[in-house]
Amino acid sequence: MATRLDRAVAGLPEPPPAPVAVVDLDAFDANAADLVRRAAGTPVRVATKSLRVPGLVTRALATPGFTGVLSYTLREALWLVHHGVSDDVLVGYPTVDEAALRELTVDDRARAAVTLMVDDVAHLDLVDRARVSGRPVRVALDVDAGLRWRTGPHLGLRRSPLREPADVVSLARAVLERPGFELAGVMTYEGQVAGVPDDGGDPARSTAVRAVKTASVRQLRRRRRELAAALHRLVGPDGPGLWNAGGTGSLETSAADPVVTEVSAGSGLLGPALFDGYRAFRPRPAAFFGVPVVRRPRAGCVTVAGGGLVASGAAGRDRLPLPWAPPGLRLTGLEGAGEVQTPLVGAAADRLSVGDRVWFRHAKSGELFEHVQQVHLVRGDVVEESVPSYRGCGQSW
């Protein structure tokens, strides 16, 4: 049961080891163009944690409308700068890596390119402890963007302790008054809008999620406006210049906020299985991994080698990989996706032979590429290029 992807990897000089990872370039490029369209003129920053393949980061940056990257560790940011991938790197999370901070403070090229994320004076203290140069380090403030009720739970990511304008202004003032720092911007990532599917499955849940998203967008627009006014009173009308927001799931609403100067996206480039559940958009599946059939335990069932590439987040069936090609296969409820083998049942099982390959989609995006060293870039049924993942570059962050 050879698929288009099978024909593509069959043309490689040597059979690739399992799992074999491929990215469909036609789908990737179409997704990139759609993200730019949805951002409606607001620059899109590439979220590297959702790719983890330097060649794909570079490909996205070559698309008009994309500019700069959102990295997930400082070591990664330094690597991207030193390897010429980007000279505009916003680190999306605070760092406590003193060795990397020390390197940043003595590297003029990196200091000019990299902006650290902070939400506590303790983060400034860490930089000062690590620094061996007094030259300024750029920082941005990570502000909580969850939905807040007068009573009831906080709905959103458990990220930053910065919630009230007074708290944000206090930290901004600390940055401005401390030698060796430059206040570059603000981040307000609305994960409860950008990262939660709102279509399919339980209709009642989908309705509730959409209500939360609508309320979040409305409240956050007001909060951003108030926060921007408070910061302008402190730093002047032109600063801080960068205001990052959003993700693949919230590009339209984030970009429409006049306070926001840029949005971030990454998962929408690859269209992982979790992103099948959004009402407002539907990226094309672009990333796949293939593993071979190694057993035929009974009629209607085959077993593949490995396959248990489970996504991060709250444990549930939606974090399991999705059998994709050939169609007509599903995981079993008892075993799910296994560490060394995965049984699959369904109509297609009896048409598969030992040695045939089954293709899966990962539930999330860049996490797939932590399991492989090489990624094969496919157009049609031909591998155009094989490129290293971060792992293939000898990097693990």
Side-chain angles (χ1 to χ4, degrees), residues 109-371:
R109 180 184 177 193
R111 282 190 312 99
V114 174
T115 301
L116 298 179
M117 194 64 60
V118 301
D119 62 33
D120 195 304
V121 171
H123 297 139
L124 308 181
D125 295 340
L126 271 166
V127 176
D128 278 339
R129 280 207 305 272
R131 75 165 70 239
V132 290
S133 162
R135 287 169 288 191
V137 172
R138 292 164 52 87
V139 300
L141 309 182
D142 189 0
V143 179
D144 175 77
L147 176 61
R148 296 152 55 197
W149 309 101
R150 290 183 179 176
T151 59
H154 170 284
L155 298 177
L157 303 177
R158 302 300 193 270
R159 284 175 69 111
S160 172
L162 300 177
R163 297 181 181 88
E164 300 300 329
D167 299 326
V168 180
V169 168
S170 177
L171 183 56
R173 182 175 289 110
V175 172
L176 294 170
E177 293 176 351
R178 187 180 289 213
F181 291 93
E182 176 186 339
L183 181 60
V186 175
M187 170 186 273
T188 48
Y189 173 58
E190 57 273 48
Q192 74 280 7
V193 182
V196 182
D198 60 358
D199 194 26
D202 180 2
R205 179 189 181 278
S206 296
T207 299
V209 169
R210 288 195 288 271
V212 166
K213 289 187 176 188
T214 299
S216 293
V217 169
R218 185 182 304 117
Q219 184 187 88
L220 189 52
R221 191 174 182 118
R222 173 183 56 77
R223 289 183 59 208
R224 285 195 184 110
R225 184 173 63 248
E226 293 172 352
L227 179 55
L231 287 172
H232 289 160
R233 287 193 291 272
L234 177 67
V235 301
D238 296 329
L242 176 155
W243 199 299
N244 181 277
T248 291
S250 69
L251 283 193
E252 291 91 346
T253 56
S254 300
D257 190 327
V259 171
V260 172
T261 64
E262 62 174 43
V263 291
S264 295
S267 295
L269 291 163
L270 296 180
L274 275 173
F275 280 73
D276 291 348
Y278 284 80
R279 191 181 198 186
F281 68 99
R282 189 62 57 88
R284 292 171 57 176
F288 309 90
F289 70 91
V291 289
V293 173
V294 292
R295 307 179 196 247
R296 292 178 48 83
R298 58 171 175 78
C301 179
V302 294
T303 303
V304 297
L309 308 188
V310 179
S312 62
R317 287 191 64 83
D318 63 350
R319 304 292 151 162
L320 298 178
L322 178 67
W324 187 249
L329 295 170
R330 64 183 186 278
L331 301 171
T332 67
L334 182 61
E335 294 189 55
E339 177 186 8
V340 292
Q341 69 168 39
T342 296
L344 298 169
V345 296
D350 289 335
R351 300 193 296 273
L352 288 167
S353 301
V354 170
D356 287 346
R357 193 178 280 112
V358 174
W359 294 94
F360 291 76
R361 292 169 63 202
H362 202 276
K364 295 188 78 173
S365 195
E367 292 180 15
L368 164 60
F369 302 122
E370 290 294 333
H371 301 276

Side-chain angles (χ1 to χ4, degrees), residues 7-162:
R7 292 193 297 273
V9 299
L12 294 170
E14 295 184 7
V20 54
V22 304
V23 170
D24 183 325
L25 292 179
D26 288 325
F28 183 94
D29 292 345
N31 289 338
D34 193 54
L35 290 171
V36 171
R37 178 192 63 78
R38 293 174 56 213
T42 299
V44 182
R45 188 176 287 271
V46 182
T48 61
K49 80 175 182 64
S50 299
L51 295 180
R52 310 192 197 203
V53 179
L56 293 179
V57 176
T58 301
R59 188 178 189 90
L61 287 172
T63 303
F66 282 86
T67 180
V69 302
L70 179 72
S71 75
Y72 56 106
T73 74
L74 176 55
R75 285 185 186 271
E76 179 206 15
L78 295 171
W79 191 92
L80 291 170
V81 172
H82 294 157
H83 286 78
V85 176
S86 179
D87 60 2
D88 177 8
V89 185
L90 176 64
V91 183
Y93 307 85
T95 182
V96 295
D97 185 336
E98 293 195 32
L101 287 168
R102 189 175 306 114
E103 180 180 347
L104 176 68
T105 65
V106 298
D107 186 327
D108 288 343
R109 180 184 177 193
R111 282 190 312 99
V114 174
T115 301
L116 298 179
M117 194 64 60
V118 301
D119 62 33
D120 195 304
V121 171
H123 297 139
L124 308 181
D125 295 340
L126 271 166
V127 176
D128 278 339
R129 280 207 305 272
R131 75 165 70 239
V132 290
S133 162
R135 287 169 288 191
V137 172
R138 292 164 52 87
V139 300
L141 309 182
D142 189 0
V143 179
D144 175 77
L147 176 61
R148 296 152 55 197
W149 309 101
R150 290 183 179 176
T151 59
H154 170 284
L155 298 177
L157 303 177
R158 302 300 193 270
R159 284 175 69 111
S160 172
L162 300 177

